[in-house]
């Protein structure tokens, strides 16, 4: 009996002690994650920089996808709540949160990576990785400046949009400096940075601090056939535009300017806005179709709702600019550079120069599309600058209508059209709508043309406590 | 003698008896002795005449006693001749006593039919310490569900067992497909971001509480809990709230459910065979008649403070339907063979409509249970097996389950009790795609021609082959050691392991992906338990007792798996991953460990007042570096005031216990939350990359919930009336909230921080009453009612976190649109955003009754209601936008003819496609259902040869429903068992189930 009692007393003490010891030394075992302190060797820097590219890719297709519905690039034909709002030009400060967060993170990740490169690489100022990081940072700032109505950095106060363009130019210039020091391995990054500077100069010309002449000068150093892509891959960061148009029918070309330009039933459809008609309206009045008339499939081969939009209503006209899950999306291109030069010439009143740049781009596209046998004919110089129109002028005759159409075609589905509408104060913004069967959508006072600083920034940033940019 | 004294004495004396134990061979027990005889008999449940194994039988004043064996028989030897009183006691039953005359060398017989006792303070429960505690010692409420409750009920899965049977416990099904799991909440939601699931133990081994499959094409999730065979359950104890769960430590703030399976008992093998044949049938989906269409309402519209905006308290929508049938096809689910009309004109029959003319079928069920229990003096066993084959109500949905269990107990020496419990379950579930899913059946059928299927042939979605196979093994070793009357130890070591294989295969030629598409997820989930507890009890002085307890636990949860996908296969056939051209693969492995220990002291005064003080310390692998051990204190008091001399001696009162408890418990942060990490990913042309995964928080600790509860337990009229009342108030401090810096800082990654505070409070009432009890008739009534309210007090710098979490509002609300121009005609709706109501039920009630005639015919009914919450009828909102929701056809006709000219804003907000509002479709979701209705008949003895008893029963589940909810089913919601913000979106409600049951004991 005594032995039992003694052992009974020892047993709990041993057990409790074992438990305490175990409880004090409980390690996480989560393979798959990489600890911060392990990213400190030069051979790991390429994957760090690739991560910066992945961060940019998050916003590359996101802005391209959603601003296509907010602009006249695409008709929202889907069932996402956002799609329903965006097609009517509605966009509020809660909807801008993810765009704001991801764009800032793309820039921040580049900055963090550059600091890490400085700690790890002995040749940080002459290494192509550093040049790429700064190039990506510049483009991230560009997406902020082009898409947001106001800017805030580092939990600071509200700033004008031009600060984003200034930040972009600083990053691009550093990329160029490093890239030049790095040699030919960084040529692609250097050229992308030069094109980025031209984009930023446009922003400064619009919002103060720059000029169209400076923008044109910056653009002039970029060859027409140059393209820098945000790279997507079928098994990694897939192109969301492809997913939302080929894998499902969240938006389509029906009802847009592209529908008319690229109409595949025409003998000479514009090859810059390619699409396939996957479903045809059964109702002769598709603006207000009968609910039971439906849409007849023409045989597109994949995707849920392949013949009609995810709204169960709209005939699906499927974009084919990005025909694959891994199709890349241009960040900057020589075609855009020619458009910048053309716009500068138009503003300066030089119609010959204007149409020269336009035709240079058209010819270049024809060359690029040689495999398709499609060549864009040269346009005649307009007699007047004219003005922007809604509904659009078909065919475009005056200078602004030509520029409008050419920029639309060359930059289609790259996330750039919305900024054009905004900086031009395009008449499409005043009542233009692409929302069939949505009574009242055409009666909006004005479509949104830039994103407000989001609600969470206003709530979490003490420097915005009384700011007028927070609604 | 007051009954409570009688019970107390009988229990104590029985505990101290030296057991003279004999088994089934009663015929061989002819014992003759000088001036002594033998007493034998049978102990049964008075209502059902089922044998009661383990009942304690004694001869008053002699020290002679024993236990009833596994068929309820007992044999007492060497009983002095003469008049003797035989006493029988069993926890949960009123005691029995009978005086007989024992003749020298003769055999006296005393049979007992014991009545269930509504509330017994002598009943024992498990509290987290080594031994069991009597209810009179426990300062908090503990609910119990017994095998008797389960046996009589219409139960098709484990989830059904708890439904409506414990106050404050909510079971929410979500999707009604066979095999779909349920969410469990005890006292509602208290955490903003962490799991509100209770901890679940089976025979002392912790089970996985989260769904073991991710949300899938069926929008259903599978839970480990449903792998348990309900017929194996002996009892379930439910411990609610942090005041009671302190000893269970971190993760126990959501309550604890303890499941105890049946054990063997001495005697020859006693077999039980059960056969169930059943049929499931889905009722009509949606309203079929104009009279069933009602204006929707929610907490905001009903609030008198908003009467100026919503004067009628609801949406006050005239649906312009006239009278009679509004649509001969319903929602095209029940009747798809013929056409109909809607505002757009005639529509044809559904091309893919099954030959029966309905998408539903009668789902048949067969189920076989066979178990045996028996054993000898030192070893007993309980072995069971089950096969179940259930069809869903849409072909090919259904599930086949196989389950075996072996529970073995050894008592090699006095004081040593070793149990080995093993369960293996295999479940094969075939799903149909459903819910918020472009491939879903309901979605495509209800949207008519505006669905996604080519030519509106919705049968194509059923070509999608979706399977879940679950292999689950629960094993546990439990060693109890009581070297003397003072010491007791309990060691539990075990594992709950499940392997889940989910496949979603769209074969080559599929309408969505003509070249095929396959997804496969293999998931392993393993929970290891090491749990040691000890107790040292002694009498400090006369009337003062002490019980000192200690213990320590180690838990490890491992989850891992592979998720692969491939598409674009070369050709038809059962293609596998790798056979296509676009294979993708993800691997997950995660191990979380925790360890803790506790100390507890309980002081008892006069066996009437018990004060318990304790503390638990926990370490957790997910805590930040700076946290160390978390500490959770507790204190409770239980006072059986009716035992006091000053308490009025009212014969009607058996016992009255007052109790109160305060304690803390916690919830742990997630595995990655405390550390700064990068995530591996791919970028560019499929090159490796890293991106920031989490910024980390070295100070991250558990969120701590503290609770004060108080209540009383009253037993009256010799156990025929029991009342249990509890009030509780819970605060969650340091609530975990994912807060980001202002995004302009640079990263969108939010960091989990201990910043928030929430409050929940409520009351629980349980009533059991036996109005009639005689030899031939027993009628009992039971009921429960509980409330659960909550408020978010603080969320640090945030005022809201998503739409459903808002400071000053209850936890999880629907914050959505209300009309600001209600009643206006001919103008577009205008909106404000307001909290429309809580998303989870805040009121639960149940009512049950059982009538037994002649111990053979039993009628048992249990109904349950859930209310005080809203649910958004996303299925209506989305279908209206396709102009195919029948209730809106009247308004749609007007809309299409004249636009909004003659329509009110509320008519537009409900039924006009461009204005249909999520908020307007947020409806009160109160409902009452008959969960179980059973009529059982026990055949007269010997009608079936070689059996001890045979019972036939007809059972029904969800036979009747009362609700004003306008969706398909007030219980269904899209995100399955894991959803925090439930809404209904083309989900299948639970069907009505009819079961014919045969139960044979032999």
């Amino acid at each position: 009996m005594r032995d039992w009692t003694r052992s009974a007393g020892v047993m709990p003490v041993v057990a409790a002690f074992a438990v305490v010891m175990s409880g004090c030394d409980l390690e996480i075992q989560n393979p798959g994650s990489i600890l911060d302190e392990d990213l400190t060797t030069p051979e790991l820097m390429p994957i760090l920089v690739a991560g910066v590219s992945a961060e940019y890719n998050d916003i590359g297709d996101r802005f391209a996808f959603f601003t296509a519905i907010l602009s006249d690039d695409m008709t929202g034909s889907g069932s996402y709540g956002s799609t329903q709002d965006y097609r009517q030009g509605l966009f509020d400060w809660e909807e801008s949160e993810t765009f704001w967060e991801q764009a800032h993170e793309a820039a921040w990740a580049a900055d963090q990576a550059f600091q890490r490169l400085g700690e790890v690489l002995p040749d940080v100022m002459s290494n192509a990785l550093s040049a790429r990081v700064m190039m990506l940072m510049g483009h991230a700032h560009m997406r902020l400046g082009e898409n947001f109505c106001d800017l805030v950095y580092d939990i600071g106060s509200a700033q004008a949009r031009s600060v984003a363009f200034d930040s972009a130019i600083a990053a691009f210039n550093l990329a160029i400096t490093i890239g030049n020091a790095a040699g030919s391995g960084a040529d692609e990054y250097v050229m992308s940075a030069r094109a980025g500077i031209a984009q930023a100069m446009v922003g400064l010309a619009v919002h103060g601090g720059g000029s169209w002449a400076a923008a044109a000068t910056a653009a002039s150093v970029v060859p027409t056939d140059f393209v820098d892509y945000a790279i997507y891959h079928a098994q990694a960061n897939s192109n969301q535009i492809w997913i939302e148009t080929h894998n499902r029918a969240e938006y389509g070309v029906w009802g847009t300017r592209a529908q008319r330009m690229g109409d595949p039933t025409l003998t000479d459809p514009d090859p810059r806005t390619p699409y396939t008609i996957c479903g045809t309206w059964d109702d002769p009045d598709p603006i207000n179709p009968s609910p039971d008339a439906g849409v007849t499939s023409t045989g597109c081969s994949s995707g849920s709702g392949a013949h009609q939009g995810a709204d169960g209503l709209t005939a699906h006209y499927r974009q084919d600019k990005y025909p694959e899950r891994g199709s890349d999306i241009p960040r900057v291109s020589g075609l855009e550079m020619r458009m910048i030069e053309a716009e500068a010439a138009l503003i300066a009143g030089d119609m010959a120069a204007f149409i020269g740049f336009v035709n240079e781009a058209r010819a270049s596209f024809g060359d690029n599309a040689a495999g398709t046998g499609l060549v864009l004919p040269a346009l005649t110089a307009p007699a007047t600058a004219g003005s922007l129109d809604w509904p659009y002028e078909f065919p475009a005759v005056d200078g602004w209508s030509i520029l409008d159409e050419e920029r639309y075609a060359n930059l289609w589905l790259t996330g750039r059209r919305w900024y054009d509408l905004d900086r031009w104060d395009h008449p499409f913004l005043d009542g233009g709508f692409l929302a069939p069967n949505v009574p009242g959508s055409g009666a909006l006072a004005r479509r949104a043309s830039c994103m407000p600083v989001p609600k969470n920034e206003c709530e979490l940033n003490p420097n915005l406590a009384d700011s007028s940019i927070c609604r | 003698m007051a009954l409570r004294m009688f019970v107390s004495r009988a229990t104590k004396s029985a505990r101290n008896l030296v057991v003279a134990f004999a088994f089934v061979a009663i015929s061989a027990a002819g014992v003759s002795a000088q001036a002594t005889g033998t007493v034998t008999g049978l102990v049964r449940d008075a209502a059902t005449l089922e044998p009661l194994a383990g009942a304690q039988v004694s001869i008053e004043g002699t020290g002679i006693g024993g236990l009833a064996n596994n068929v309820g028989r007992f044999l007492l030897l060497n009983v002095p001749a003469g008049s003797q009183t035989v006493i029988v006691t069993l926890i949960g039953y009123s005691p029995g006593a009978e005086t007989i005359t024992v003749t020298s060398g003769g055999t006296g017989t005393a049979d007992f039919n014991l009545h269930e006792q509504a509330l017994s303070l002598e009943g024992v429960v498990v509290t987290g310490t080594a031994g069991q505690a009597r209810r009179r010692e426990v300062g908090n409420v503990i609910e119990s569900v017994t095998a008797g409750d389960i046996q009589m009920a219409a139960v098709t899965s484990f989830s059904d067992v708890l439904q409506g049977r414990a106050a404050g416990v909510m079971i929410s099904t979500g999707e009604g497909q066979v095999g779909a799991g349920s969410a469990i909440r005890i006292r509602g939601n208290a955490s903003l971001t962490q799991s509100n699931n209770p901890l679940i133990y089976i025979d002392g081994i912790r089970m996985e509480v989260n769904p073991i499959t991710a949300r899938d094409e069926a929008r259903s999730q599978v839970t480990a809990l449903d792998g348990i065979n309900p017929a194996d359950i002996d009892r379930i104890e439910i411990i609610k709230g942090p005041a009671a769960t302190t000893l269970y430590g971190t993760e126990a703030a959501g309550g604890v459910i303890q499941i105890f399976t049946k054990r063997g008992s001495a005697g020859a093998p006693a077999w039980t065979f059960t056969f169930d044949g059943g049929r499931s049938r889905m009722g009509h989906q949606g309203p079929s008649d104009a009279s069933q269409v009602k204006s929707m309402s929610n907490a905001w519209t009903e609030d008198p403070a908003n009467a100026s905006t919503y004067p009628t308290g609801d949406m006050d929508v005239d649906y312009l339907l006239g009278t009679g049938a509004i649509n001969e096809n319903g929602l095209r689910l029940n009747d798809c063979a013929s056409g109909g009309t809607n505002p757009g004109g005639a529509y044809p029959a559904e091309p893919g409509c099954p030959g029966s003319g309905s998408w539903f079928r009668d789902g048949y069920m067969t189920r076989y249970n066979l178990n045996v229990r028996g054993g000898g003096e030192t070893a007993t066993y309980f072995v069971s097996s089950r096969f179940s084959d259930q069809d869903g109500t849409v072909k090919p949905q259904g599930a086949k389950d196989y389950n075996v269990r072996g529970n073995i107990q050894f008592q090699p020496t006095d004081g040593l009790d070793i149990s080995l419990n093993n369960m293996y379950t295999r479940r094969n579930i075939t799903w149909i795609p459903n819910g918020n899913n472009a491939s879903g059946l309901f979605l495509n059928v209800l949207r008519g021609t505006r669905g996604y299927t080519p030519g509106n042939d919705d049968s194509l979605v059923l070509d999608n082959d979706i399977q879940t196979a679950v292999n689950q093994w629960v094993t546990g070793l439990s060693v109890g050691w009581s070297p003397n009357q003072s010491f007791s130890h309990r060691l539990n070591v075990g594992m709950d392991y499940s392997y889940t294989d989910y496949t979603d295969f769209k074969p080559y030629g599929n309408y969505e992906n003509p070249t095929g598409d396959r997804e496969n997820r293999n998931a392993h989930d393993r929970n290891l338990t090491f749990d040691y507890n000890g107790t040292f009890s002694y009498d400090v002085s006369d009337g003062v007792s002490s019980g000192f307890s200690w213990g320590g636990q180690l838990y490890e949860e491992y989850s891992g798996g592979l998720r692969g996908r491939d598409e674009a296969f070369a050709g038809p056939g059962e293609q596998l991953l790798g056979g296509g051209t676009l294979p993708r693969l993800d691997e997950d492995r995660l191990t979380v460990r925790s360890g803790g220990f506790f100390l507890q002291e309980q002081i008892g005064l006069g066996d009437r007042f018990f004060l318990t003080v304790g503390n638990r310390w926990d370490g957790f692998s997910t805590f930040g570096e700076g946290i160390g051990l978390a500490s959770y204190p507790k204190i409770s008091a239980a006072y059986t005031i009716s035992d006091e001399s000053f308490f009025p001696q009212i014969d009607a009162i058996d016992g009255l216990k007052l109790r109160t408890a305060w304690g803390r418990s916690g919830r742990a942060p997630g595995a990655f939350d405390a550390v700064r990490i990068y995530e591996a990913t791919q970028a560019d042309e499929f090159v490796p990359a890293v991106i920031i995964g989490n910024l980390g928080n070295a100070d991250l600790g558990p969120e701590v919930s503290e609770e004060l509860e108080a209540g009383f337990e009253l037993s009256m009229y010799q156990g025929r009336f029991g009342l249990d009342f509890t009030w509780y108030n819970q605060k969650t401090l340091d609530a975990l909230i994912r807060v980001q810096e202002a995004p302009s800082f640079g990263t969108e990654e939010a960091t989990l921080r201990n910043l928030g505070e929430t409050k929940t409070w409520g009351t629980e009432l349980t009533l059991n009453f036996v109005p009639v009890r005689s030899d031939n008739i027993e009628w009992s009534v039971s009921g429960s009612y509980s409330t659960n309210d909550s408020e978010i007090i603080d969320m640090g710098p945030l005022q809201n976190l998503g739409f459903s979490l808002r400071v000053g509002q209850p936890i999880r609300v629907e914050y959505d649109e209300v009309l600001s121009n209600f009643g206006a005609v001919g103008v577009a709706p205008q909106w404000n955003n307001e909290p429309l109501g809580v998303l989870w039920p805040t009121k639960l009630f149940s009512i049950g009754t059982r009538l037994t005639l002649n111990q053979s015919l039993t009628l048992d009914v249990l109904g349950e209601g859930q209310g005080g919450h809203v649910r958004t009828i996303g299925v209506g909102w989305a279908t209206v936008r396709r102009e195919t929701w029948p209730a809106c056809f009247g308004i749609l006709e007007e809309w299409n003819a004249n636009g909004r000219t003659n329509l009110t804003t509320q008519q537009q907000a409900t039924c006009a496609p461009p204005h249909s509002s999520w908020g307007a479709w947020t409806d009160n979701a109160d409902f009452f259902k008959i969960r179980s209705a059973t009529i059982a008949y026990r055949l007269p003895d010997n009608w079936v040869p070689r059996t001890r008893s045979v019972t036939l029963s007809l059972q029904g589940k969800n036979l009747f429903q009362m609700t004003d909810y306008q969706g398909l089913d007030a219980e269904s919601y899209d995100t399955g068992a894991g959803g925090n913000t439930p809404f209904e979106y083309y989900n299948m409600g639970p069907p009505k189930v009819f079961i014919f049951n045969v139960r044979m004991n032999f």
Side-chain angles (χ1 to χ4, degrees), chain B residues 929-975:
Chain B
K929 289 187 178 182
I930 298 295
R931 292 297 190 193
S932 173
T934 298
I935 182 165
Y937 180 63
R938 183 177 185 276
L939 299 182
D941 292 345
N942 303 321
W943 268 33
V944 180
R946 305 174 67 88
T947 62
R948 286 183 286 111
S949 66
V950 178
T951 303
L952 309 178
S953 60
L954 289 173
Q955 302 171 335
K957 176 183 164 187
N958 296 323
L959 297 186
F960 171 76
Q961 176 178 214
M962 286 174 58
T963 184
D964 285 337
Y965 179 73
Q966 292 293 292
L968 301 185
D969 193 293
E971 280 195 275
S972 59
Y973 58 90
D974 185 68
T975 45

Side-chain angles (χ1 to χ4, degrees), chain A residues 12 30 53 105 235 291 301 308 457, chain B residues 450-451 514 550 583 590 684 747:
Chain A
N30 300 315
S53 176
E105 181 157 302
Q235 289 172 281
S301 61
Q308 63 184 16
E457 179 73 34
Chain B
R450 296 191 181 183
W550 61 91
L590 177 66
D684 301 340
T747 176

Side-chain angles (χ1 to χ4, degrees), chain B residues 633-961:
Chain B
K634 65 171 279 189
I635 182 170
S636 67
Y639 185 23
T640 306
I641 194 171
S642 57
D643 283 358
E644 294 287 1
S645 57
F646 61 77
F647 191 82
Q649 295 301 301
I650 303 171
D651 288 343
I653 296 179
D654 309 330
L656 172 63
K657 183 182 98 174
L658 309 179
R659 52 178 163 72
T660 186
W662 175 91
R664 288 183 168 179
S665 187
R667 291 180 176 85
F672 294 93
D673 293 326
V675 293
R676 180 179 177 123
I677 53 170
Y678 285 80
E679 299 285 359
T681 184
Q682 301 85 32
D684 301 340
E685 293 296 350
F686 211 47
V687 299
V690 291
I691 57 175
I692 188 74
N694 186 45
L695 294 174
N697 176 6
D699 297 323
L700 189 64
E703 68 177 29
V704 177
S705 294
E706 71 175 34
E707 184 183 60
L708 175 65
E709 76 164 53
F712 65 86
E713 294 163 31
L714 172 66
S715 176
M716 300 178 67
Y717 303 114
Q718 299 182 329
R720 289 172 60 174
F721 179 86
L723 183 66
D724 190 323
F725 173 79
T726 305
W727 163 90
Y728 67 91
N729 192 319
Q730 184 181 143
K731 270 189 177 181
T732 295
L733 310 168
D734 299 328
L736 290 165
I737 297 175
R738 201 165 289 281
V739 179
Q740 61 182 154
E741 296 283 0
S744 63
F745 165 74
T747 176
E748 63 177 323
E749 297 300 333
T751 303
L752 201 63
R753 304 179 195 177
N754 298 98
L755 289 174
E757 182 178 341
T758 67
K759 184 172 72 172
T760 61
W761 66 96
T763 56
E764 294 158 353
L765 184 70
T766 301
L767 171 73
N768 292 284
F769 182 39
V770 184
V772 177
R773 174 175 285 170
S774 69
D775 288 344
N776 295 323
I777 301 177
E778 177 159 320
W779 175 41
S780 63
V781 178
S782 62
S784 68
Y785 177 76
S786 63
T787 64
N788 174 258
D789 295 294
S790 62
E791 182 181 354
I792 300 175
I793 306 296
D794 189 15
M795 290 202 295
L798 303 179
Q799 287 301 303
N800 64 282
L801 197 59
F803 75 91
S804 67
L805 299 174
R806 315 185 78 83
V807 172
Q809 296 294 326
I811 298 170
R812 300 292 176 190
V813 296
E814 183 65 40
Y815 184 80
D816 221 300
E817 292 173 325
V818 297
L819 286 164
S820 61
N821 60 345
F822 180 96
V825 177
V827 299
Q830 296 176 355
W831 306 102
N832 291 322
N833 282 340
E834 300 288 351
L836 307 184
V838 191
L839 287 165
W840 290 78
T842 58
K843 295 179 177 62
L844 305 172
F845 70 95
S846 68
I847 183 165
T849 185
R850 180 178 294 183
L851 175 66
T852 303
L853 303 175
N854 296 322
Q855 290 112 9
S856 58
L857 182 65
T858 301
L859 174 66
D860 183 271
V861 180
L862 175 68
E864 187 206 19
Q866 300 182 5
H869 66 300
V870 298
R871 183 148 298 167
T872 301
I873 307 168
V875 58
W877 171 84
T879 308
V880 159
R881 294 162 81 97
R882 276 80 182 173
E883 303 191 35
T884 51
W885 186 259
C888 284
F889 284 178
I891 293 174
L892 281 169
E893 283 186 0
E894 174 62 26
W895 172 260
N896 288 334
N898 302 307
R900 64 170 60 94
T901 305
N902 301 315
L903 295 174
T904 62
T905 51
Q906 57 268 32
Q907 286 174 313
Q908 297 173 61
T910 305
C911 290
H915 296 296
S916 174
S917 159
W918 194 258
W921 281 92
T922 300
D923 195 14
N924 280 332
D926 300 1
F927 70 88
F928 173 79
K929 289 187 178 182
I930 298 295
R931 292 297 190 193
S932 173
T934 298
I935 182 165
Y937 180 63
R938 183 177 185 276
L939 299 182
D941 292 345
N942 303 321
W943 268 33
V944 180
R946 305 174 67 88
T947 62
R948 286 183 286 111
S949 66
V950 178
T951 303
L952 309 178
S953 60
L954 289 173
Q955 302 171 335
K957 176 183 164 187
N958 296 323
L959 297 186
F960 171 76
Q961 176 178 214

Side-chain angles (χ1 to χ4, degrees), chain A residues 1 4 12 19-20 28-30 33-34 51 53 84 105 108 132 154-155 235 291-292 301 303-304 308 310 312 456-457, chain B residues 342 450-452 483-484 512 514 550 583 590-591 596-597 621 672 678 683-684 690 740 743-744 746-748 881-882:
Chain A
M1 186 69 181
W4 279 11
V19 168
V20 171
I28 295 177
Q29 293 192 352
N30 300 315
S33 298
I34 298 171
S53 176
Q84 302 293 333
E105 181 157 302
W108 177 82
R132 188 181 188 207
D154 299 327
I155 321 181
Q235 289 172 281
D292 294 310
S301 61
S304 80
Q308 63 184 16
N456 62 346
E457 179 73 34
Chain B
N342 69 3
R450 296 191 181 183
Y452 297 130
N484 54 44
E512 279 186 277
W550 61 91
L590 177 66
T591 304
F597 64 99
S621 64
F672 294 93
Y678 285 80
D684 301 340
V690 291
Q740 61 182 154
S744 63
T747 176
E748 63 177 323
R881 294 162 81 97
R882 276 80 182 173

Side-chain angles (χ1 to χ4, degrees), chain A residues 41-168:
Chain A
T41 57
E43 61 269 23
L44 291 174
M45 293 304 100
I47 69 162
L48 187 68
V49 175
V52 177
S53 176
E55 295 276 17
Y56 179 86
N57 281 9
D58 283 346
I59 61 171
D61 59 345
R62 184 176 182 80
F63 276 106
F65 166 48
F66 284 108
T67 64
I69 316 175
L70 284 159
S71 70
D72 53 353
D73 268 358
M74 280 286 193
T75 296
S77 59
S79 60
Y80 299 159
S82 56
T83 304
Q84 302 293 333
D85 288 344
Y86 298 170
R87 69 194 301 186
Q88 300 178 62
L90 302 173
F91 195 89
D92 66 27
W93 70 340
E94 290 187 349
E95 290 168 314
S96 62
E97 284 187 1
T98 304
F99 297 92
W100 178 263
E101 291 167 356
Q102 290 189 341
H104 269 289
E105 181 157 302
W108 177 82
D111 182 60
Q112 294 283 301
F114 188 69
Q115 291 182 36
R116 181 67 57 100
L117 292 173
E119 295 165 2
V120 175
L121 297 178
D123 59 343
V124 63
M125 294 306 291
S126 59
N127 191 302
L129 289 175
S130 310
R132 188 181 188 207
V133 163
M134 296 315 295
M135 177 271 289
L136 290 167
M137 179 192 282
H139 287 304
H141 285 299
M142 283 304 301
R143 300 294 84 78
L144 281 165
E146 289 180 341
N147 289 289
F148 285 91
C149 311
D150 299 280
L151 263 297
V152 178
Y153 281 108
D154 299 327
I155 321 181
S157 303
Q159 295 177 280
R161 293 169 83 168
S162 57
V163 69
F165 302 123
D166 287 335
S167 299

Side-chain angles (χ1 to χ4, degrees), chain B residues 9-57:
Chain B
R9 281 189 194 176
T11 305
K12 283 184 177 177
S13 60
R15 190 185 303 155
N16 294 325
L17 287 175
V18 177
V19 176
F21 209 175
F23 300 108
V24 185
I26 292 173
S27 60
V31 176
S32 62
Q34 192 67 31
T36 63
T38 300
V39 176
T40 185
L42 177 63
V43 184
R44 297 190 295 187
D45 183 294
T48 65
L49 296 185
E50 291 286 331
L52 295 175
Q56 294 179 320
V57 188

